Amino acid sequence: MTSDHIFLWLTVFIAATVEMIEALTIVLALGITRGWRSALLATAAAIVTLGVVVTVFNSVFSKITGEGDVPILPLWILVGGILLIFGLQWMKKGILRIAGLLPSRDEEQIYNKLAKDAKGAPKSAKDSIDWYSFVMVFKGVLLEGFEVVFIVIIFGSARGQTVIGITAAVAALIFVGLLGVVIHKPLSKIPENWMKLTVGLLLTTFGTYFASEGVGIVWPLSDWALMYILVVYILFSVFIINFLRAGIRTKKTTRKRAA
Amino acid sequence: MKYLRTFLNFWRKFIIGDDARIAIVVMWTLLLLKSLTSNVLNEWYILPIVVMVLLTAIVYGNSIDHHMYKKTTTTFRVFVSITIPMIIVMAIPLLLFRYINSETDLHQTFVPFSIFILIAMIVSGVMGQLYAKFPVMSIFISGVISYLFVLPLQPSVIQLSTYLSAHYQLASTFLALAIPIFFVTYIVTAFRHAEDKRI
């Protein structure tokens, strides 16, 4: 396994963990308040749907890129561009949340709201499927999982490494699932903001590398390019976060003095 | 039709997200790098610099307004406010790199690059104005049209710049320097305007 395989596995694993944590909140809220049967059925249905999507897209891309052989360079530009756009969005949110400029996502608050809405919704007959619960969980798990599936497909189309992405996503699903079973409440203590920033950094690094290769750029020390791009982006992120935090502290001090 | 619109909207929000500027800058940078990269030009540092400058600009914009982040109104303003800083970031390292590397004549790289960008900007700005109601789509359309329009011109632009360099050295040097000076002035003015609004 090379270093970029490890980075790829890590990127998908962390991205999938973040999304699965958000999906788990929905499953727990509906499962605890309205019963587990429909919630778990919906979760299984959503996971199967996502699996079908990965299989279909993977076979389409394999045909386009010639059964996983050397990929077409224009495809690398598109793939790199999409990874860059995704990565920068995650980085932006991660940086703003860690710096305190955006409120952090509160899983407990979301859980409480979902549970309150679920208690208020009309219930179905005892032995039939609770369609409210089923639709909410199916939609939630599908939407949260779709971003991970998209990342897996994108990496797979660029490098023919869908299997690595799939194993990472499945590992994250098992990890979060087990945590959910053991802890049995929303995972609010997990540092989601730092995980989002990490995924953003990795996606942006891969996007920069793939897109540049696609336009024909040759990186100096090509085997080490991914490493030094990532290091530069990490240093930059740390600098920007500290800079923004310092700015907020200065504003608060100025306001206190003015008051 | 409604379902088609919902479907397309879902993909637009999914890929572009809540900030179209990221997608626009990335698209522009990759199109321009693709046009410029060759056996001679291998500007590997440009994309990482653009990424870092873009992120800085976006988070700085958020820090100015704190929780009330304002979006720019018209398509043309959005486009110009993105393209100009991006060109600055690309032009300055290229200029410095080629100036330091004395084996390469500045007029053979920077001047055609500047003219290239200027034509692309004018075409895109015009297209952006025509599609003012659909900002994201208009910017993508204008980017693609600029690319198709400007790329075939590249050999002519290089010929033109070679001619200018040979016969009108002063004029071509002025052109090479005037464009980044104009851009820097624009950026400084734009930031000052943003600061005044904040106060």
mmCIF file of all heavy atoms in Angstrom, chain B residues 75-109:
data_model
loop_
_atom_site.group_PDB
_atom_site.id
_atom_site.type_symbol
_atom_site.label_atom_id
_atom_site.label_comp_id
_atom_site.label_asym_id
_atom_site.label_seq_id
_atom_site.Cartn_x
_atom_site.Cartn_y
_atom_site.Cartn_z
ATOM 1 N N THR B 75 -24.143 40.014 -11.251
ATOM 2 C CA THR B 75 -23.268 38.996 -11.815
ATOM 3 C C THR B 75 -21.915 39.571 -12.194
ATOM 4 O O THR B 75 -20.876 38.986 -11.925
ATOM 5 C CB THR B 75 -23.916 38.411 -13.079
ATOM 6 O OG1 THR B 75 -25.227 38.011 -12.767
ATOM 7 C CG2 THR B 75 -23.132 37.234 -13.602
ATOM 8 N N PHE B 76 -21.934 40.730 -12.811
ATOM 9 C CA PHE B 76 -20.693 41.329 -13.282
ATOM 10 C C PHE B 76 -19.774 41.626 -12.106
ATOM 11 O O PHE B 76 -18.579 41.378 -12.149
ATOM 12 C CB PHE B 76 -20.998 42.599 -14.082
ATOM 13 C CG PHE B 76 -19.788 43.168 -14.749
ATOM 14 C CD1 PHE B 76 -19.149 42.471 -15.771
ATOM 15 C CD2 PHE B 76 -19.258 44.392 -14.372
ATOM 16 C CE1 PHE B 76 -18.026 42.976 -16.398
ATOM 17 C CE2 PHE B 76 -18.133 44.906 -14.998
ATOM 18 C CZ PHE B 76 -17.514 44.200 -16.012
ATOM 19 N N ARG B 77 -20.353 42.150 -11.009
ATOM 20 C CA ARG B 77 -19.535 42.462 -9.834
ATOM 21 C C ARG B 77 -18.952 41.192 -9.234
ATOM 22 O O ARG B 77 -17.799 41.166 -8.820
ATOM 23 C CB ARG B 77 -20.386 43.158 -8.781
ATOM 24 C CG ARG B 77 -20.395 44.648 -8.913
ATOM 25 C CD ARG B 77 -20.891 45.272 -7.641
ATOM 26 N NE ARG B 77 -21.520 46.532 -7.929
ATOM 27 C CZ ARG B 77 -22.374 47.138 -7.146
ATOM 28 N NH1 ARG B 77 -22.727 46.578 -6.019
ATOM 29 N NH2 ARG B 77 -22.878 48.291 -7.461
ATOM 30 N N VAL B 78 -19.794 40.158 -9.172
ATOM 31 C CA VAL B 78 -19.306 38.878 -8.645
ATOM 32 C C VAL B 78 -18.132 38.404 -9.485
ATOM 33 O O VAL B 78 -17.080 38.038 -8.980
ATOM 34 C CB VAL B 78 -20.417 37.798 -8.657
ATOM 35 C CG1 VAL B 78 -19.854 36.419 -8.381
ATOM 36 C CG2 VAL B 78 -21.487 38.124 -7.641
ATOM 37 N N PHE B 79 -18.320 38.457 -10.793
ATOM 38 C CA PHE B 79 -17.300 37.950 -11.685
ATOM 39 C C PHE B 79 -16.015 38.770 -11.588
ATOM 40 O O PHE B 79 -14.924 38.228 -11.468
ATOM 41 C CB PHE B 79 -17.819 37.947 -13.125
ATOM 42 C CG PHE B 79 -16.846 37.309 -14.047
ATOM 43 C CD1 PHE B 79 -16.725 35.939 -14.090
ATOM 44 C CD2 PHE B 79 -16.001 38.070 -14.830
ATOM 45 C CE1 PHE B 79 -15.795 35.330 -14.904
ATOM 46 C CE2 PHE B 79 -15.079 37.469 -15.648
ATOM 47 C CZ PHE B 79 -14.974 36.099 -15.688
ATOM 48 N N VAL B 80 -16.160 40.092 -11.623
ATOM 49 C CA VAL B 80 -14.975 40.960 -11.582
ATOM 50 C C VAL B 80 -14.290 40.839 -10.220
ATOM 51 O O VAL B 80 -13.060 40.772 -10.129
ATOM 52 C CB VAL B 80 -15.383 42.422 -11.875
ATOM 53 C CG1 VAL B 80 -14.260 43.383 -11.545
ATOM 54 C CG2 VAL B 80 -15.776 42.568 -13.328
ATOM 55 N N SER B 81 -15.080 40.759 -9.172
ATOM 56 C CA SER B 81 -14.477 40.708 -7.836
ATOM 57 C C SER B 81 -13.723 39.403 -7.614
ATOM 58 O O SER B 81 -12.871 39.321 -6.755
ATOM 59 C CB SER B 81 -15.545 40.884 -6.762
ATOM 60 O OG SER B 81 -16.400 39.779 -6.753
ATOM 61 N N ILE B 82 -14.053 38.394 -8.408
ATOM 62 C CA ILE B 82 -13.323 37.132 -8.296
ATOM 63 C C ILE B 82 -12.136 37.116 -9.246
ATOM 64 O O ILE B 82 -11.024 36.760 -8.875
ATOM 65 C CB ILE B 82 -14.233 35.941 -8.645
ATOM 66 C CG1 ILE B 82 -15.350 35.795 -7.630
ATOM 67 C CG2 ILE B 82 -13.434 34.649 -8.741
ATOM 68 C CD1 ILE B 82 -16.473 34.954 -8.133
ATOM 69 N N THR B 83 -12.389 37.495 -10.472
ATOM 70 C CA THR B 83 -11.376 37.316 -11.517
ATOM 71 C C THR B 83 -10.154 38.179 -11.270
ATOM 72 O O THR B 83 -9.024 37.730 -11.442
ATOM 73 C CB THR B 83 -11.984 37.645 -12.887
ATOM 74 O OG1 THR B 83 -13.141 36.859 -13.054
ATOM 75 C CG2 THR B 83 -11.006 37.363 -14.005
ATOM 76 N N ILE B 84 -10.387 39.421 -10.887
ATOM 77 C CA ILE B 84 -9.239 40.329 -10.751
ATOM 78 C C ILE B 84 -8.261 39.877 -9.666
ATOM 79 O O ILE B 84 -7.060 39.781 -9.926
ATOM 80 C CB ILE B 84 -9.739 41.773 -10.544
ATOM 81 C CG1 ILE B 84 -10.364 42.250 -11.860
ATOM 82 C CG2 ILE B 84 -8.588 42.683 -10.139
ATOM 83 C CD1 ILE B 84 -10.966 43.616 -11.784
ATOM 84 N N PRO B 85 -8.699 39.569 -8.487
ATOM 85 C CA PRO B 85 -7.712 39.092 -7.502
ATOM 86 C C PRO B 85 -7.024 37.814 -7.952
ATOM 87 O O PRO B 85 -5.840 37.607 -7.705
ATOM 88 C CB PRO B 85 -8.555 38.811 -6.246
ATOM 89 C CG PRO B 85 -9.825 39.500 -6.440
ATOM 90 C CD PRO B 85 -10.041 39.672 -7.900
ATOM 91 N N MET B 86 -7.780 36.980 -8.643
ATOM 92 C CA MET B 86 -7.218 35.728 -9.098
ATOM 93 C C MET B 86 -6.124 35.966 -10.134
ATOM 94 O O MET B 86 -5.085 35.313 -10.101
ATOM 95 C CB MET B 86 -8.342 34.889 -9.707
ATOM 96 C CG MET B 86 -8.026 33.433 -9.800
ATOM 97 S SD MET B 86 -9.165 32.633 -10.892
ATOM 98 C CE MET B 86 -8.661 33.306 -12.417
ATOM 99 N N ILE B 87 -6.360 36.911 -11.019
ATOM 100 C CA ILE B 87 -5.357 37.221 -12.046
ATOM 101 C C ILE B 87 -4.100 37.784 -11.381
ATOM 102 O O ILE B 87 -2.977 37.451 -11.751
ATOM 103 C CB ILE B 87 -5.917 38.245 -13.069
ATOM 104 C CG1 ILE B 87 -7.177 37.721 -13.742
ATOM 105 C CG2 ILE B 87 -4.849 38.617 -14.074
ATOM 106 C CD1 ILE B 87 -7.000 36.418 -14.414
ATOM 107 N N ILE B 88 -4.301 38.632 -10.393
ATOM 108 C CA ILE B 88 -3.157 39.213 -9.666
ATOM 109 C C ILE B 88 -2.301 38.090 -9.092
ATOM 110 O O ILE B 88 -1.090 38.078 -9.228
ATOM 111 C CB ILE B 88 -3.650 40.094 -8.487
ATOM 112 C CG1 ILE B 88 -4.357 41.323 -9.001
ATOM 113 C CG2 ILE B 88 -2.488 40.447 -7.587
ATOM 114 C CD1 ILE B 88 -3.430 42.452 -9.298
ATOM 115 N N VAL B 89 -2.968 37.152 -8.447
ATOM 116 C CA VAL B 89 -2.233 36.068 -7.806
ATOM 117 C C VAL B 89 -1.473 35.251 -8.831
ATOM 118 O O VAL B 89 -0.366 34.793 -8.585
ATOM 119 C CB VAL B 89 -3.220 35.174 -7.016
ATOM 120 C CG1 VAL B 89 -2.576 33.880 -6.595
ATOM 121 C CG2 VAL B 89 -3.727 35.929 -5.804
ATOM 122 N N MET B 90 -2.051 35.073 -9.995
ATOM 123 C CA MET B 90 -1.374 34.289 -11.022
ATOM 124 C C MET B 90 -0.302 35.101 -11.725
ATOM 125 O O MET B 90 0.771 34.597 -12.042
ATOM 126 C CB MET B 90 -2.395 33.781 -12.055
ATOM 127 C CG MET B 90 -3.320 32.722 -11.504
ATOM 128 S SD MET B 90 -4.647 32.296 -12.626
ATOM 129 C CE MET B 90 -3.776 31.411 -13.885
ATOM 130 N N ALA B 91 -0.585 36.386 -11.957
ATOM 131 C CA ALA B 91 0.343 37.187 -12.762
ATOM 132 C C ALA B 91 1.626 37.511 -12.009
ATOM 133 O O ALA B 91 2.718 37.449 -12.572
ATOM 134 C CB ALA B 91 -0.341 38.479 -13.204
ATOM 135 N N ILE B 92 1.496 37.854 -10.727
ATOM 136 C CA ILE B 92 2.694 38.318 -10.000
ATOM 137 C C ILE B 92 3.754 37.219 -9.859
ATOM 138 O O ILE B 92 4.916 37.455 -10.165
ATOM 139 C CB ILE B 92 2.304 38.950 -8.647
ATOM 140 C CG1 ILE B 92 1.629 40.308 -8.921
ATOM 141 C CG2 ILE B 92 3.525 39.141 -7.766
ATOM 142 C CD1 ILE B 92 1.090 40.976 -7.693
ATOM 143 N N PRO B 93 3.406 36.011 -9.435
ATOM 144 C CA PRO B 93 4.471 34.997 -9.351
ATOM 145 C C PRO B 93 5.080 34.685 -10.708
ATOM 146 O O PRO B 93 6.288 34.477 -10.812
ATOM 147 C CB PRO B 93 3.763 33.755 -8.805
ATOM 148 C CG PRO B 93 2.449 34.174 -8.376
ATOM 149 C CD PRO B 93 2.137 35.495 -8.939
ATOM 150 N N LEU B 94 4.228 34.683 -11.758
ATOM 151 C CA LEU B 94 4.731 34.398 -13.097
ATOM 152 C C LEU B 94 5.723 35.470 -13.522
ATOM 153 O O LEU B 94 6.803 35.174 -14.042
ATOM 154 C CB LEU B 94 3.546 34.335 -14.072
ATOM 155 C CG LEU B 94 3.827 33.820 -15.465
ATOM 156 C CD1 LEU B 94 4.331 32.400 -15.423
ATOM 157 C CD2 LEU B 94 2.561 33.878 -16.317
ATOM 158 N N LEU B 95 5.342 36.717 -13.261
ATOM 159 C CA LEU B 95 6.212 37.841 -13.610
ATOM 160 C C LEU B 95 7.539 37.747 -12.867
ATOM 161 O O LEU B 95 8.610 37.844 -13.461
ATOM 162 C CB LEU B 95 5.490 39.152 -13.254
ATOM 163 C CG LEU B 95 6.278 40.452 -13.395
ATOM 164 C CD1 LEU B 95 6.631 40.708 -14.828
ATOM 165 C CD2 LEU B 95 5.482 41.612 -12.830
ATOM 166 N N LEU B 96 7.446 37.519 -11.558
ATOM 167 C CA LEU B 96 8.667 37.455 -10.756
ATOM 168 C C LEU B 96 9.542 36.283 -11.180
ATOM 169 O O LEU B 96 10.753 36.410 -11.323
ATOM 170 C CB LEU B 96 8.312 37.311 -9.272
ATOM 171 C CG LEU B 96 7.822 38.577 -8.583
ATOM 172 C CD1 LEU B 96 7.344 38.248 -7.187
ATOM 173 C CD2 LEU B 96 8.929 39.614 -8.534
ATOM 174 N N PHE B 97 8.897 35.152 -11.385
ATOM 175 C CA PHE B 97 9.657 33.952 -11.748
ATOM 176 C C PHE B 97 10.397 34.150 -13.060
ATOM 177 O O PHE B 97 11.571 33.832 -13.182
ATOM 178 C CB PHE B 97 8.691 32.758 -11.836
ATOM 179 C CG PHE B 97 9.365 31.449 -12.136
ATOM 180 C CD1 PHE B 97 10.063 30.779 -11.147
ATOM 181 C CD2 PHE B 97 9.322 30.895 -13.398
ATOM 182 C CE1 PHE B 97 10.694 29.579 -11.412
ATOM 183 C CE2 PHE B 97 9.946 29.692 -13.664
ATOM 184 C CZ PHE B 97 10.631 29.023 -12.680
ATOM 185 N N ARG B 98 9.678 34.704 -14.039
ATOM 186 C CA ARG B 98 10.305 34.875 -15.349
ATOM 187 C C ARG B 98 11.329 36.000 -15.327
ATOM 188 O O ARG B 98 12.319 35.956 -16.055
ATOM 189 C CB ARG B 98 9.230 35.165 -16.407
ATOM 190 C CG ARG B 98 8.308 33.979 -16.662
ATOM 191 C CD ARG B 98 9.089 32.783 -17.094
ATOM 192 N NE ARG B 98 8.255 31.613 -17.239
ATOM 193 C CZ ARG B 98 8.707 30.386 -17.315
ATOM 194 N NH1 ARG B 98 9.989 30.146 -17.242
ATOM 195 N NH2 ARG B 98 7.896 29.373 -17.461
ATOM 196 N N TYR B 99 11.101 36.995 -14.495
ATOM 197 C CA TYR B 99 12.066 38.097 -14.416
ATOM 198 C C TYR B 99 13.368 37.617 -13.811
ATOM 199 O O TYR B 99 14.447 37.981 -14.246
ATOM 200 C CB TYR B 99 11.438 39.230 -13.587
ATOM 201 C CG TYR B 99 12.217 40.506 -13.637
ATOM 202 C CD1 TYR B 99 12.265 41.266 -14.808
ATOM 203 C CD2 TYR B 99 12.922 40.954 -12.527
ATOM 204 C CE1 TYR B 99 12.987 42.441 -14.856
ATOM 205 C CE2 TYR B 99 13.631 42.128 -12.578
ATOM 206 C CZ TYR B 99 13.666 42.871 -13.744
ATOM 207 O OH TYR B 99 14.381 44.023 -13.787
ATOM 208 N N ILE B 100 13.221 36.785 -12.766
ATOM 209 C CA ILE B 100 14.420 36.252 -12.117
ATOM 210 C C ILE B 100 15.146 35.282 -13.037
ATOM 211 O O ILE B 100 16.367 35.261 -13.112
ATOM 212 C CB ILE B 100 14.038 35.539 -10.785
ATOM 213 C CG1 ILE B 100 13.596 36.586 -9.757
ATOM 214 C CG2 ILE B 100 15.188 34.719 -10.244
ATOM 215 C CD1 ILE B 100 12.826 36.014 -8.597
ATOM 216 N N ASN B 101 14.377 34.510 -13.781
ATOM 217 C CA ASN B 101 14.969 33.547 -14.699
ATOM 218 C C ASN B 101 15.327 34.265 -15.998
ATOM 219 O O ASN B 101 14.518 34.421 -16.880
ATOM 220 C CB ASN B 101 13.949 32.430 -14.963
ATOM 221 C CG ASN B 101 14.512 31.324 -15.832
ATOM 222 O OD1 ASN B 101 15.660 31.402 -16.276
ATOM 223 N ND2 ASN B 101 13.714 30.314 -16.083
ATOM 224 N N SER B 102 16.577 34.706 -16.086
ATOM 225 C CA SER B 102 16.952 35.611 -17.179
ATOM 226 C C SER B 102 17.047 34.916 -18.532
ATOM 227 O O SER B 102 17.196 35.554 -19.551
ATOM 228 C CB SER B 102 18.283 36.281 -16.851
ATOM 229 O OG SER B 102 19.235 35.275 -16.602
ATOM 230 N N GLU B 103 16.985 33.614 -18.560
ATOM 231 C CA GLU B 103 17.053 32.900 -19.847
ATOM 232 C C GLU B 103 15.779 33.125 -20.661
ATOM 233 O O GLU B 103 15.785 32.986 -21.870
ATOM 234 C CB GLU B 103 17.199 31.388 -19.617
ATOM 235 C CG GLU B 103 18.580 31.015 -19.124
ATOM 236 C CD GLU B 103 18.648 29.557 -18.716
ATOM 237 O OE1 GLU B 103 17.719 28.809 -19.067
ATOM 238 O OE2 GLU B 103 19.602 29.191 -18.029
ATOM 239 N N THR B 104 14.698 33.469 -19.981
ATOM 240 C CA THR B 104 13.426 33.623 -20.703
ATOM 241 C C THR B 104 13.073 35.087 -20.850
ATOM 242 O O THR B 104 13.126 35.831 -19.880
ATOM 243 C CB THR B 104 12.296 32.911 -19.941
ATOM 244 O OG1 THR B 104 12.705 31.607 -19.634
ATOM 245 C CG2 THR B 104 11.023 32.890 -20.755
ATOM 246 N N ASP B 105 12.715 35.485 -22.031
ATOM 247 C CA ASP B 105 12.350 36.873 -22.283
ATOM 248 C C ASP B 105 10.960 37.144 -21.692
ATOM 249 O O ASP B 105 9.997 36.450 -21.991
ATOM 250 C CB ASP B 105 12.362 37.124 -23.794
ATOM 251 C CG ASP B 105 12.096 38.579 -24.121
ATOM 252 O OD1 ASP B 105 11.902 39.390 -23.191
ATOM 253 O OD2 ASP B 105 12.083 38.907 -25.309
ATOM 254 N N LEU B 106 10.896 38.167 -20.892
ATOM 255 C CA LEU B 106 9.628 38.527 -20.239
ATOM 256 C C LEU B 106 8.512 38.765 -21.246
ATOM 257 O O LEU B 106 7.358 38.407 -21.029
ATOM 258 C CB LEU B 106 9.881 39.791 -19.428
ATOM 259 C CG LEU B 106 8.851 40.137 -18.365
ATOM 260 C CD1 LEU B 106 8.896 39.110 -17.273
ATOM 261 C CD2 LEU B 106 9.144 41.506 -17.788
ATOM 262 N N HIS B 107 8.859 39.365 -22.362
ATOM 263 C CA HIS B 107 7.842 39.704 -23.352
ATOM 264 C C HIS B 107 7.259 38.482 -24.028
ATOM 265 O O HIS B 107 6.228 38.559 -24.668
ATOM 266 C CB HIS B 107 8.419 40.650 -24.400
ATOM 267 C CG HIS B 107 8.693 42.008 -23.833
ATOM 268 N ND1 HIS B 107 9.586 42.876 -24.398
ATOM 269 C CD2 HIS B 107 8.213 42.633 -22.752
ATOM 270 C CE1 HIS B 107 9.633 43.985 -23.682
ATOM 271 N NE2 HIS B 107 8.820 43.867 -22.672
ATOM 272 N N GLN B 108 7.965 37.377 -23.917
ATOM 273 C CA GLN B 108 7.426 36.183 -24.570
ATOM 274 C C GLN B 108 6.463 35.431 -23.665
ATOM 275 O O GLN B 108 5.767 34.534 -24.109
ATOM 276 C CB GLN B 108 8.573 35.244 -24.965
ATOM 277 C CG GLN B 108 9.288 35.731 -26.207
ATOM 278 C CD GLN B 108 10.367 34.773 -26.625
ATOM 279 O OE1 GLN B 108 10.525 33.711 -26.033
ATOM 280 N NE2 GLN B 108 11.132 35.156 -27.617
ATOM 281 N N THR B 109 6.467 35.771 -22.379
ATOM 282 C CA THR B 109 5.581 35.032 -21.471
ATOM 283 C C THR B 109 4.529 35.933 -20.850
ATOM 284 O O THR B 109 3.340 35.669 -20.976
ATOM 285 C CB THR B 109 6.389 34.357 -20.353
ATOM 286 O OG1 THR B 109 7.237 35.345 -19.756
ATOM 287 C CG2 THR B 109 7.222 33.232 -20.891
#
